[in-house]
């Protein structure tokens, strides 16, 4: 495609038009000056909606390990032999302390994340509901939860306790999902997104790239998220964990990651797009480029089972890029 046509595509996307499959594949395969033009269009789309603000989010691994799901990338799966810590649900005090730290450090959203297929009614659920209420009452930060697959009753309970956002990734395209997970159906994840929205929560839903999926399957995931009208999209890049089936998988270059970010900005120009897990090993020296490629936020601090980048280095990256931090709600 001619370089000037990428600007025309950005304008069409801003007006609500979806890129064609050919245009989307062009974004994921562009090089040189053409890629620079794509980044410029994505940057313009991001600034049109979010200005120069960067939204920061943080999580707590509130319950770790022993997950019965067999996701090929996951260090917490009971099907894999990894060195991931295993522990039961953390106390309300520990979860609340994490929220206060995230608030002090400028995050706008704080996610309570648990391993496992779902959290069933009982002691654990009551503990999580108590933590959500206290975060809403005692901090300015917006609490989020990532507790696995939802039913209608659980979704309503979470919303009633003050959970602002429910996080549940689709992980990859429907057509590739059986290569990554066979312990539950893709439709269970799609239905969870719908139930969370129906309960009145915002939905944070994205995926992980570099699993072995094709370029077309990256587009397929983006189109599914667009159709579901999710509120925010976390983009993760595989950080291979020893002991998992994908331990030796290295599919992505820094430019591949930036192309993916740009694609999702063109697909969803008015949605929050955050770069999360795998940012450090995959983007390496190009981490500061995520905003030029269209991202409007990033996760700071540690991830579920791997360490994040030093917070002061990230803050310097925002200052150097003249980005304002969009802090607590």
């Amino acid at each position: 495609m001619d370089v000037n046509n990428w600007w025309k595509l950005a304008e069409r996307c801003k007006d609500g038009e979806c890129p064609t499959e050919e245009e989307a594949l062009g974004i994921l395969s562009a090089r040189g000056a053409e890629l620079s033009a794509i980044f410029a269009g994505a940057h313009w789309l991001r600034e049109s909606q979010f200005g120069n603000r960067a939204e920061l989010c943080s999580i707590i691994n509130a319950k770790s390990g022993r997950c019965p799901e067999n996701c090929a990338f996951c260090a917490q799966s009971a099907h894999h032999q990894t060195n991931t810590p295993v522990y039961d649900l953390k106390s309300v005090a520990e979860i609340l302390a994490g929220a206060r730290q995230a608030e002090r450090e400028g995050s706008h959203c704080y996610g309570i994340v648990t391993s496992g297929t779902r959290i069933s009614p009982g002691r654990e659920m009551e503990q999580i509901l108590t933590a959500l209420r206290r975060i809403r009452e005692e901090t300015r930060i917006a609490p989020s939860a990532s507790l696995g697959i939802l039913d209608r009753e659980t979704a309503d309970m979470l919303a009633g306790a003050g959970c602002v956002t429910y996080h549940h990734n689709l992980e990859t395209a429907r057509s590739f999902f059986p290569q990554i997970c066979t312990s539950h159906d893709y439709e269970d994840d799609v239905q969870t997104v719908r139930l969370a929205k129906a309960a009145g929560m915002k939905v944070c839903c994205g995926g992980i790239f570099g699993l072995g999926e094709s370029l077309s399957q990256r587009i397929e995931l983006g189109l599914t998220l667009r159709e579901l009208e999710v509120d925010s999209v976390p983009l993760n890049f595989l950080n291979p964990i020893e002991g998992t089936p994908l331990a030796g998988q290295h599919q992505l270059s820094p430019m591949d990651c930036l192309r993916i970010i740009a694609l999702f900005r063109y697909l969803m120009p008015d949605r929050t797009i955050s770069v999360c897990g795998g940012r450090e090993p995959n983007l390496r020296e190009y981490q500061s480029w995520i905003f030029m490629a269209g991202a409007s936020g990033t996760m700071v601090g540690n991830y579920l089972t791997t360490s994040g980048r030093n917070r002061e280095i990230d803050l310097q990256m925002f200052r150097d890029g003249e980005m304002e931090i969009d802090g607590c709600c």
Side-chain angles (χ1 to χ4, degrees):
M1 184 185 291
D2 183 88
V3 168
N4 291 327
N5 287 337
W6 292 112
W7 278 106
K8 296 176 184 177
L9 175 62
E11 291 173 345
R12 291 183 358 238
C13 290
K14 188 174 184 293
D15 290 337
E17 188 173 326
C18 183
T20 65
E21 183 174 359
E22 181 182 2
E23 289 166 337
L25 284 170
I27 292 171
L28 292 179
S29 57
R31 299 287 192 280
E34 185 179 25
L35 183 57
S36 296
I38 289 169
F39 287 163
H43 192 171
W44 175 74
L45 286 170
R46 189 261 296 166
E47 281 197 341
S48 297
Q49 184 69 32
F50 301 97
N52 66 339
R53 303 189 311 277
E55 292 188 356
L56 308 186
C57 62
S58 305
I59 60 171
I60 181 171
N61 189 3
K63 179 184 178 183
S64 182
R66 293 192 293 259
C67 181
E69 302 296 327
N70 65 355
C71 303
F73 56 83
C74 185
Q76 300 195 68
S77 172
H79 297 262
H80 313 323
Q81 300 298 316
T82 68
N83 295 321
T84 297
V86 175
Y87 51 81
D88 294 329
L89 185 65
K90 290 187 174 182
S91 68
V92 172
E94 290 174 299
I95 295 172
L96 185 59
R100 287 177 171 145
Q101 179 179 348
E103 179 184 30
R104 288 193 301 270
E105 294 180 350
S107 291
H108 79 286
C109 180
Y110 172 72
I112 302 170
V113 186
T114 60
S115 66
T117 304
R118 57 174 54 83
I119 296 289
S120 300
R123 182 190 61 83
E124 287 187 335
M125 179 57 70
E126 290 304 317
Q127 200 167 316
I128 290 168
L129 294 175
T130 298
L132 287 168
R133 292 188 191 101
R134 291 194 60 184
I135 292 169
R136 287 296 277 171
E137 292 167 0
E138 300 177 30
T139 75
R140 295 180 299 111
I141 204 166
S144 165
S146 181
L147 314 177
I149 294 170
L150 288 178
D151 55 35
R152 187 177 301 277
E153 180 184 4
T154 304
D156 288 340
M157 286 193 298
L158 291 168
C163 184
V164 174
T165 302
Y166 195 75
H167 170 265
H168 191 77
N169 283 342
L170 299 184
E171 307 303 2
T172 191
R174 186 187 291 270
S175 64
F176 190 65
F177 189 74
Q179 308 302 314
I180 297 302
C181 179
T182 59
S183 50
H184 72 269
D185 191 77
Y186 195 80
E187 191 58 31
D188 295 333
D189 296 323
V190 172
Q191 182 65 8
T192 289
V193 171
R194 292 183 174 133
L195 287 172
K197 288 177 69 71
M201 291 182 284
K202 297 178 182 178
V203 173
C204 177
C205 179
I208 182 168
F209 299 90
L211 304 177
E213 75 284 349
S214 67
L215 299 186
S216 292
Q217 285 164 333
R218 293 173 188 172
I219 297 165
E220 181 187 343
L221 173 60
L223 291 173
T224 300
L225 297 172
R226 177 186 169 102
E227 180 183 350
L228 288 170
E229 297 182 334
V230 300
D231 298 283
S232 56
V233 182
L235 303 180
N236 302 276
F237 307 112
L238 180 66
N239 185 0
I241 303 297
E242 201 64 39
T244 67
L246 299 181
Q249 181 95 323
H250 296 282
Q251 186 182 15
L252 299 173
S253 70
M255 287 298 122
D256 289 328
C257 297
L258 295 170
R259 291 182 191 100
I260 291 167
I261 296 167
L263 169 68
F264 277 70
R265 176 52 66 202
Y266 280 86
L267 287 172
M268 290 169 280
D270 61 344
R271 305 293 155 152
T272 297
I273 295 176
S274 293
V275 178
C276 298
R279 166 162 63 98
E280 295 82 5
N282 284 282
L283 282 154
R284 299 190 288 276
E285 298 303 314
Y286 286 85
Q287 290 182 64
S288 62
W289 285 44
I290 63 174
F291 301 109
M292 288 188 288
S296 54
T298 188
M299 183 176 289
V300 292
N302 293 330
Y303 307 109
L304 287 176
T305 61
T306 57
S307 298
R309 194 160 69 155
N310 180 280
R311 178 174 174 271
E312 291 305 319
I313 296 176
D314 272 340
L315 291 178
Q316 187 62 53
M317 176 179 73
F318 303 137
R319 289 192 291 267
D320 290 346
E322 299 180 350
M323 298 291 294
E324 297 176 3
I325 296 175
D326 192 5
C328 297
C329 305

